[in-house]
Amino acid sequence: YSLYISITVYSQQAEREYEKIKSQLEGLEESVRDRCKKEFTDLMIEMEDQTNDINEAGIPVLDYKTYTDRVFFLPSKDGEKDVMITGKLDIPEARRQTVEQALNQFSNLLNSKSFLINFIHTLENQREFSARAKVYFASLLTVALHGKLEYYTDIMRTLFLELMEQYVVAKNPKLMLRRSETVVERMLSNWMSICLYQYLKDNAGEPLYKLFKAIKHQVEKGPVDAVLKKAKYTLNDTGLLGDDVEYTQLTVNVYVQDGGTDSIPVKVLNCDTISQVKEKIIDQVYRNLPCSQWPKAESVVLEWRPGSTAQILSDLDLTSQRDGRWKRINTLMHYNVRDGATLILSKMGISQQPEDNQQDVPGERHALLEDENKVWHLVRPVDEIDEGKSKRGSVKEKERTKAITEIYLTRLLSVKGTLQQFVDNFFHSVLNSNHVVPPAVKYFFDFLDEQAEKHDIKDEDTIHIWKTNSLPLRFWVNILKNPHFIFDVHVHEVVDASLSVIAQTFMDACTRTEHKLSRDSPSNKLLYAKEISNYKKMVEDYYKGIRQMVPVSDQDMNTHLAEISRAHTDSLNTLVALHQLYQYTNKYYDEIINALEEDPAAQKMQLAFRLQQIAAALENKVTDL
């Protein structure tokens, strides 16, 4: 009985604590609401210019090949240098024809279901075939089989049924699709990416692009520490600039060398580093061109003409402020550049190599690069000597710092309120079954429903988790966190920090579990506490709406897949993918041959013999077969 009393007291206490936090949060929201209205109005006026740019230049959606390259291979070990992205196969010219013929035969072999299933099973049984290798292998397979997407879907479906069987037998079906740890899970991610490209281009791309631009615009309106990568305007508490930095907005008039006689007005901050100013100028000057065609900030020179003289502006030079081992990065304020100043942007010539325009004494620039942590911009990091002192600082001092940090959290609320419309528009565009629903989504969700029924799974939570893991978490979160996978844009770390908070909110909206808020809850959960129940309902309604739609027949799905194959396969590096896939055959050659020789269907089709012939041709060996 006494235990019951103490539990009741504890739960009442927890309830009171929760209500207290809730009212504090509501108080904070009230206090920033007016500021949000003003900032939202400012943002909407400024975003109108952006919308005009979008109408004029269009949304910079990447072509299909670049999009699939980035989604499939950019996160790989080699990134942009990956052979699948560069398409450069290192084959001696004399052997090219032989190799290409053998790879085409290998392609035919992959189009034998018996061979491919054996191939995948054999690799997955190898201990050293890591999760990273499985993901990469699945992406190679996606490109190699892109010409026959109906067949690829059939393979994926077969492997998927096996995977489901394993989880159902092990009595833990909720864990299926939780991670991309099998070839088939990655095949599904890639399949969704392929099938939703056109939908991104025609429907969801615009609200996502506008959300990205709104975050970028809002972040750049305030100070951004170039060294700490922290901003005054952010949704992310760990990326929040904790100090109040005094700054003023300036409009500079920029003339571009060989770019006509008119100047271009550009809004900058007097606390911006010279590199930040260059980036803002490049952003404005080249806004009607895709980002990949813009010059890099380090390849241009910025000159200030206060009168008849000219001064080259640099992040670091002989005029940079020094304090012991610390050197401060130059800003417009440092050079005393005022509102309305005239700047000239020119391409860097041979005589203007970075070392020259930095005006450093010999060897000094090298020393700076060696010891980059001794450079600061807006907030000077705590030095080791200071750190020792602060460790001995009083508890009161630490509490005061925490209180100050919490005061700055109102900024998160302010930014959240300003961006709310853009976040809502994106969520509505991808979670509304009354709008266009891509056929692949309906087709796959129906497949999951059928399998749940077949395995007598009546638990709605399990089916909800499967759907969530196959679409929102596997596809939308990936695109939301990486806008450069679908758009020709550059995503700065400070913008990425805010996108991560929205992506986390999107993930939370897809879970059915209720999160009890407390003082220790992460700030992003507190930030979107009021909206999350609406978002959860959107997800539930979306899944229900899809269930009620007219089914997509196998024939319609195959026609849709055949159209994608026909439209895009020629642009992909299919031969390179086949060559890369063959490396796995080579690595596990004996194991694959043994598996093929033990399988009656593979024996009948002489698949082991065909693989031996291909191996002989590719490795330039004489064979007695």
Side-chain angles (χ1 to χ4, degrees), residues 110-125:
L110 290 173
N111 278 291
S112 155
K113 189 170 180 178
S114 186
F115 173 81
L116 187 51
I117 298 289
N118 267 303
F119 186 20
I120 293 168
H121 284 165
T122 306
L123 292 187
E124 295 211 292
N125 288 336

Side-chain angles (χ1 to χ4, degrees), residues 561-620:
L561 292 166
E563 278 169 17
I564 299 172
S565 287
R566 203 166 39 248
H568 301 296
T569 302
D570 287 349
S571 68
L572 305 180
N573 294 327
T574 311
L575 217 58
V576 183
L578 289 165
H579 188 266
Q580 293 295 94
L581 279 173
Y582 176 74
Q583 308 310 314
Y584 290 97
T585 317
N586 196 17
K587 190 173 180 182
Y588 303 109
Y589 185 75
D590 293 342
E591 292 87 345
I592 294 163
I593 292 286
N594 290 341
L596 294 172
E597 283 175 345
E598 285 168 17
D599 180 358
Q603 275 176 2
K604 203 177 277 184
M605 290 184 279
Q606 293 189 302
L607 297 179
F609 172 66
R610 283 169 65 188
L611 181 59
Q612 284 164 340
Q613 283 184 312
I614 291 162
L618 279 172
E619 288 161 46
N620 206 13

Side-chain angles (χ1 to χ4, degrees), residues 466-620:
W466 286 354
K467 289 176 180 177
T468 291
N469 288 346
S470 58
L471 178 70
L473 300 198
R474 194 137 305 204
F475 177 75
W476 286 119
V477 166
N478 196 24
I479 292 292
L480 184 54
K481 286 175 89 166
N482 301 289
H484 61 294
F485 281 4
I486 181 66
F487 305 123
D488 193 339
V489 293
H490 173 65
V491 185
H492 282 276
E493 285 156 281
V494 280
V495 173
D496 181 61
S498 289
L499 282 169
S500 293
V501 171
I502 297 166
Q504 185 58 55
T505 305
F506 191 79
M507 287 159 80
D508 292 345
C510 294
T511 61
R512 291 183 121 198
T513 47
E514 286 301 320
H515 295 284
K516 268 283 181 192
L517 292 178
S518 73
R519 193 178 286 281
D520 299 321
S521 295
S523 66
N524 67 294
K525 297 213 190 298
L526 292 168
L527 207 53
Y528 284 96
K530 288 177 87 171
E531 289 76 17
I532 202 74
S533 56
N534 287 341
Y535 293 154
K536 281 178 185 284
K537 189 177 181 315
M538 279 168 75
V539 177
E540 292 280 354
D541 291 349
Y542 181 62
Y543 292 172
K544 267 184 209 153
I546 290 173
R547 194 174 266 169
Q548 287 157 11
M549 282 168 61
V550 177
V552 175
S553 68
D554 286 340
Q555 191 184 347
D556 286 348
M557 193 65 219
N558 283 341
T559 305
H560 179 61
L561 292 166
E563 278 169 17
I564 299 172
S565 287
R566 203 166 39 248
H568 301 296
T569 302
D570 287 349
S571 68
L572 305 180
N573 294 327
T574 311
L575 217 58
V576 183
L578 289 165
H579 188 266
Q580 293 295 94
L581 279 173
Y582 176 74
Q583 308 310 314
Y584 290 97
T585 317
N586 196 17
K587 190 173 180 182
Y588 303 109
Y589 185 75
D590 293 342
E591 292 87 345
I592 294 163
I593 292 286
N594 290 341
L596 294 172
E597 283 175 345
E598 285 168 17
D599 180 358
Q603 275 176 2
K604 203 177 277 184
M605 290 184 279
Q606 293 189 302
L607 297 179
F609 172 66
R610 283 169 65 188
L611 181 59
Q612 284 164 340
Q613 283 184 312
I614 291 162
L618 279 172
E619 288 161 46
N620 206 13

